[in-house]
C-alpha cells in the first residue's frame, strides 16, 4: 500500500487536484499512520484523521466522525480539512451515503449488517468500495464510493425477502451510531494484557492466553504480545468478547496503580 499512497500524494502535489484510495480497513489505516510518522499527524486532531504527508495535506474520511472504514484523501492546496468536509457534505466527490428502507414496513424482515453487506457484494461491488454500514431495526445507511452510488440506488431493490428503496442523502442525515459504554478500572500499567484483564474481568494469565491464541487485534492487526503499551485511541477487538477503544489513563492510586478508561461497544 505504501507505494500506492506515495503515488497518490505525488499526483495531488504535482497536479494540484484531489486524489484518494478506496476504503481502508483499520489495519491499513494503521499502516499508513506508521509509515507517515508521528510528524504527519496533526497534534490538534485526537482522532488522527488528518495531517501532512510528503508535503501534502491528507484526511481520513468515512462519512461520520467515528467511521471505522475510511478513505485516505490527499488535498490540493485550495482545500483544507474543514472545507473538504463541508464540500463532501454538500456535494460528495469521494464518499456517498445511501439510505435504505423497506417499501412496506409491515412485511419487512429485521435485516442485519451481514445482510446489507451480502446484498452489495452480490451486485459485484468489491469490499474495498464499501465503507461502514449503520443499521437499526428498520433502516440502514450505506457509505460507499461515490462512483458506485448510482448502481446501488438503481439495482439494490431486494435484501433477502424484503423489497427496499434506496435514496442518496447527505451523510449528516444518518443519525445511527454504534452504542457504547464508558468504563473505568484500575490497572498496573497500560500494557495490553493488563487492560484486557480489566475490561473483561480476566486474570492476566487468561488475557495473555487470548493474545497467544491470536484472538486479539489492535487497530486491525493481530497482537502477538500482551507486553506493549496501548496508546489512547487504539481500537481493540477480541474474538468471542467484543471490542473497545482505549481512552488512556488518569489519576494514580495510592498503591501506584492507574485508572484506565475504555469505551466498550455494545
Amino acid at each position: 500500500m505504501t507505494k500506492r499512497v506515495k503515488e497518490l500524494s505525488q499526483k495531488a502535489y504535482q497536479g494540484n487536484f484531489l486524489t484518494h484510495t478506496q476504503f481502508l480497513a483499520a489495519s491499513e489505516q494503521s499502516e499508513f499512520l506508521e509509515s507517515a510518522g508521528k510528524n504527519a499527524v496533526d497534534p490538534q486532531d485526537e482522532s488522527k484523521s488528518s495531517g501532512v504527508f510528503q508535503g501534502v495535506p491528507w484526511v481520513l474520511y468515512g462519512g461520520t466522525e467515528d467511521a471505522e472504514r475510511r478513505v485516505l484523501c490527499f488535498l490540493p492546496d485550495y482545500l483544507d480539512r474543514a472545507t473538504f468536509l463541508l464540500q463532501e457534505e454538500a456535494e460528495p466527490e469521494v464518499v456517498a451515503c445511501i439510505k435504505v428502507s423497506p417499501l412496506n414496513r409491515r412485511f419487512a424482515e429485521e435485516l442485519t449488517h451481514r445482510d446489507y453487506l451480502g446484498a452489495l457484494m452480490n451486485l459485484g461491488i468489491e469490499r474495498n468500495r464499501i465503507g461502514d454500514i449503520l443499521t437499526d431495526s428498520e433502516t440502514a445507511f450505506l457509505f460507499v464510493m461515490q462512483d458506485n452510488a448510482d448502481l446501488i440506488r438503481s439495482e439494490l431493490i431486494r435484501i433477502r425477502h424484503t423489497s427496499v428503496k434506496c435514496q442518496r442523502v447527505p451523510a449528516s442525515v444518518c443519525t445511527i451510531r454504534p452504542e457504547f459504554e464508558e468504563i473505568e478500572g484500575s490497572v498496573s500499567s497500560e500494557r495490553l494484557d493488563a487492560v484486557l484483564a480489566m475490561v473483561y474481568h480476566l486474570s492476566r494469565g487468561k488475557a495473555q492466553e487470548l493474545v497467544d491464541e491470536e484472538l486479539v487485534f489492535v487497530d486491525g492487526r493481530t497482537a502477538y504480545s500482551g507486553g506493549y503499551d496501548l496508546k489512547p485511541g487504539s481500537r481493540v477487538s477480541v474474538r468471542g468478547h467484543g471490542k473497545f477503544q482505549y481512552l488512556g489513563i488518569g489519576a494514580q492510586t495510592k498503591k501506584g496503580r492507574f485508572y484506565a478508561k475504555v469505551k466498550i461497544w455494545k
Side-chain angles (χ1 to χ4, degrees):
M1 186 188 76
T2 303
K3 181 180 178 182
R4 176 60 176 157
V5 164
K6 288 181 178 179
E7 289 175 350
L8 289 171
S9 68
Q10 289 170 2
K11 284 184 178 180
Y13 180 79
Q14 294 169 358
N16 201 30
F17 55 81
L18 176 71
T19 64
H20 59 82
T21 64
Q22 313 296 341
F23 282 100
L24 303 180
S27 59
E28 294 171 310
Q29 296 173 46
S30 178
E31 180 183 344
F32 166 71
L33 291 173
E34 287 181 11
S35 68
K38 63 180 181 180
N39 293 328
V41 179
D42 183 349
Q44 300 301 317
D45 184 48
E46 295 180 358
S47 67
K48 297 184 179 180
S49 64
S50 64
V52 177
F53 177 71
Q54 294 188 332
V56 182
W58 58 265
V59 175
L60 280 166
Y61 175 70
T64 66
E65 65 277 8
D66 294 321
E68 289 194 17
R69 296 177 63 82
R70 298 185 289 181
V71 176
L72 174 59
C73 305
F74 291 102
L75 308 183
D77 61 17
Y78 55 84
L79 272 183
D80 58 19
R81 180 178 185 273
T83 306
F84 167 78
L85 295 177
L86 287 172
Q87 179 176 291
E88 277 295 298
E89 175 66 17
E91 282 188 59
E93 184 177 345
V94 179
V95 175
C97 179
I98 297 179
K99 179 181 178 181
V100 184
S101 50
L103 285 176
N104 190 327
R105 295 189 183 278
R106 182 179 176 184
F107 300 107
E109 302 164 275
E110 187 167 332
L111 301 174
T112 66
H113 180 283
R114 180 177 293 182
D115 295 324
Y116 289 103
L117 179 59
L120 290 174
M121 298 188 75
N122 284 339
L123 293 178
I125 300 173
E126 295 181 0
R127 185 66 181 98
N128 64 3
R129 312 283 299 174
I130 305 166
D132 286 4
I133 298 172
L134 301 176
T135 181
D136 57 19
S137 59
E138 296 184 343
T139 306
F141 291 87
L142 318 176
F143 291 90
V144 299
M145 298 305 296
Q146 161 68 17
D147 51 6
N148 290 116
D150 287 341
L151 170 68
I152 295 168
R153 190 170 56 85
S154 62
E155 297 294 330
L156 186 60
I157 58 175
R158 182 179 294 274
I159 302 176
R160 288 176 56 187
H161 302 294
T162 299
S163 296
V164 298
K165 61 179 179 180
C166 297
Q167 304 166 269
R168 291 187 60 156
V169 297
S172 59
V173 171
C174 175
T175 57
I176 300 173
R177 294 292 185 274
E179 294 184 5
F180 63 87
E181 175 187 9
E182 283 194 13
I183 67 168
E184 183 178 76
S186 170
V187 296
S188 58
S189 71
E190 293 186 282
R191 281 173 51 122
L192 174 60
D193 56 358
V195 177
L196 286 175
M198 183 274 287
V199 172
Y200 296 117
H201 308 290
L202 306 170
S203 67
R204 288 281 288 273
K206 181 59 179 177
Q208 183 58 51
E209 282 181 25
L210 292 173
V211 175
D212 292 341
E213 292 170 8
E214 299 184 7
L215 300 177
V216 182
F217 304 84
V218 179
D219 292 329
R221 293 182 169 186
T222 304
Y224 293 105
S225 169
Y228 66 87
D229 290 348
L230 287 175
K231 298 177 181 178
S234 294
R235 297 192 182 198
V236 181
S237 60
V238 185
R239 283 184 184 161
H241 288 75
K243 67 178 180 178
F244 66 89
Q245 184 175 31
Y246 178 64
L247 302 178
I249 55 174
Q252 189 172 11
T253 69
K254 292 181 179 179
K255 295 184 178 181
R257 294 172 66 85
F258 301 91
Y259 288 107
K261 278 188 177 182
V262 302
K263 183 169 72 174
I264 302 178
W265 270 261
K266 295 182 178 180

